[in-house]
């Protein structure tokens, strides 16, 4: 009678399970940016009274369909937070392997907070709202702006840390991609905060560029896990 030594397969099985979990976590980060873009831009193009050159995408959280954008914030934020764990595993022991995932996770939590705390209706959206900014902002509007600032700053920093990581490991293409993402958000947010023409549009472009760079980087590591 022969016996099977199950101990010989245990390490391989454990390693496969770990790779599978890492693969799934990285998939979360891959999906975050396209989901955000599709849901937000579809609403921007179809909701009555919304003008992306005047209204930030956060304004979509208001009105009868506001739950769509709130859900977008919550789900995408959760995907980024989960994806950060996949990035931590993929980058373990490499330059930037500690801080890049931490910063991505913070940006995810920031998006969740931005979904929980909704900005005030303003500048004609939703339809029927007076034009211009409210004379007084509610506490949840201030909380939304604070959450947005945390999200943008952590996402910019994450992109630059990832750029340094790829420069150190000799992958120039992804280093350039990460720098483009961080710089696009830095400039887009700065232009918007400075009151530049169509600042809400430049901010939207910057956010999506940074998010897509993180998703593409997660996809790069997903293929190797």
């Amino acid at each position: 009678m022969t016996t099977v030594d199950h101990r010989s397969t245990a390490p391989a099985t454990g390693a496969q399970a770990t790779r599978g979990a890492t693969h799934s976590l990285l998939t979360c980060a891959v999906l975050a940016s396209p989901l955000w873009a599709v849901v937000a831009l579809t609403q921007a193009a179809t909701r009555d009274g919304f003008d992306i050159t005047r209204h930030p995408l956060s304004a979509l959280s208001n009105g009868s369909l506001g739950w769509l954008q709130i859900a977008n914030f919550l789900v995408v934020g959760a995907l980024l937070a989960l994806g950060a764990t996949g990035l931590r595993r993929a980058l373990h022991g490499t330059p930037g392997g500690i801080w890049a995932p931490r910063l991505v996770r913070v940006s995810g939590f920031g998006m969740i907070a931005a979904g929980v705390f909704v900005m005030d209706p303003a500048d004609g959206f939703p339809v029927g709202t007076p034009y211009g900014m409210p004379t007084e902002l509610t506490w949840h509007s201030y909380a939304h702006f604070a959450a947005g600032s945390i999200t943008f700053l952590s996402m910019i920093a994450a992109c630059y840390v990832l750029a340094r990581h790829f420069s150190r490991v000799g992958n120039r293409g992804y280093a350039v991609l990460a720098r483009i993402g961080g710089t696009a958000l830095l400039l887009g947010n700065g232009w918007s905060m400075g009151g530049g023409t169509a600042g809400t549009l430049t901010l939207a472009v910057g956010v999506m560029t940074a998010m897509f760079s993180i998703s593409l980087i997660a996809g790069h590591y997903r293929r190797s896990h």
Side-chain angles (χ1 to χ4, degrees):
M1 177 174 160
T2 60
T3 59
V4 177
D5 186 357
H6 294 284
R7 292 175 298 176
S8 62
T9 62
T13 303
Q16 290 172 355
T18 299
R19 285 196 297 271
T22 301
H23 187 276
S24 297
L25 290 166
L26 289 169
T27 300
C28 291
V30 171
L31 294 175
S33 60
L35 177 61
W36 171 263
V38 169
V39 175
L41 293 180
T42 299
Q43 293 183 84
T46 59
R47 290 190 61 183
D48 191 26
F50 187 86
D51 181 354
I52 199 170
T53 66
R54 291 175 39 234
H55 302 124
L57 293 175
S58 292
L60 292 166
S61 294
N62 290 294
S64 60
L65 294 175
W67 64 271
L68 286 169
Q69 187 66 351
I70 292 173
N72 199 22
F73 272 117
L74 298 178
V75 173
V76 171
L79 288 174
L80 284 174
L82 290 169
T85 301
L87 285 172
R88 177 176 59 79
R89 294 181 179 186
L91 295 170
H92 180 71
T94 65
I98 294 176
W99 278 103
R102 285 179 178 175
L103 290 164
V104 172
R105 183 174 291 108
V106 170
S107 70
F109 288 148
M111 291 195 77
I112 292 172
V116 172
F117 303 109
V118 177
M119 69 174 289
D120 296 330
D123 203 17
F125 184 83
V127 174
T129 302
Y131 285 91
M133 293 299 295
T135 54
E136 293 185 8
L137 297 177
T138 59
W139 67 269
H140 53 81
S141 193
Y142 281 115
H144 178 88
F145 293 141
S149 296
I150 291 170
T151 300
F152 301 151
L153 291 174
S154 58
M155 199 171 288
I156 291 167
C159 286
Y160 284 129
V161 172
L162 286 168
R164 181 174 179 272
H165 160 78
F166 283 112
S167 293
R168 293 281 297 275
V169 300
N171 192 326
R172 185 174 181 274
Y174 279 98
V176 171
L177 172 67
R179 288 193 185 96
I180 289 173
T183 302
L185 181 50
L186 178 65
L187 295 178
N189 186 47
W191 182 258
S192 177
M193 293 292 291
T197 304
T200 52
L201 175 60
T202 64
L203 176 58
V205 171
V207 169
M208 291 184 190
T209 303
M211 289 181 68
F212 269 106
S213 69
I214 291 171
S215 285
L216 289 171
I217 288 167
H220 164 71
Y221 283 110
R222 180 175 175 269
R223 288 189 293 273
S224 62
H225 285 78

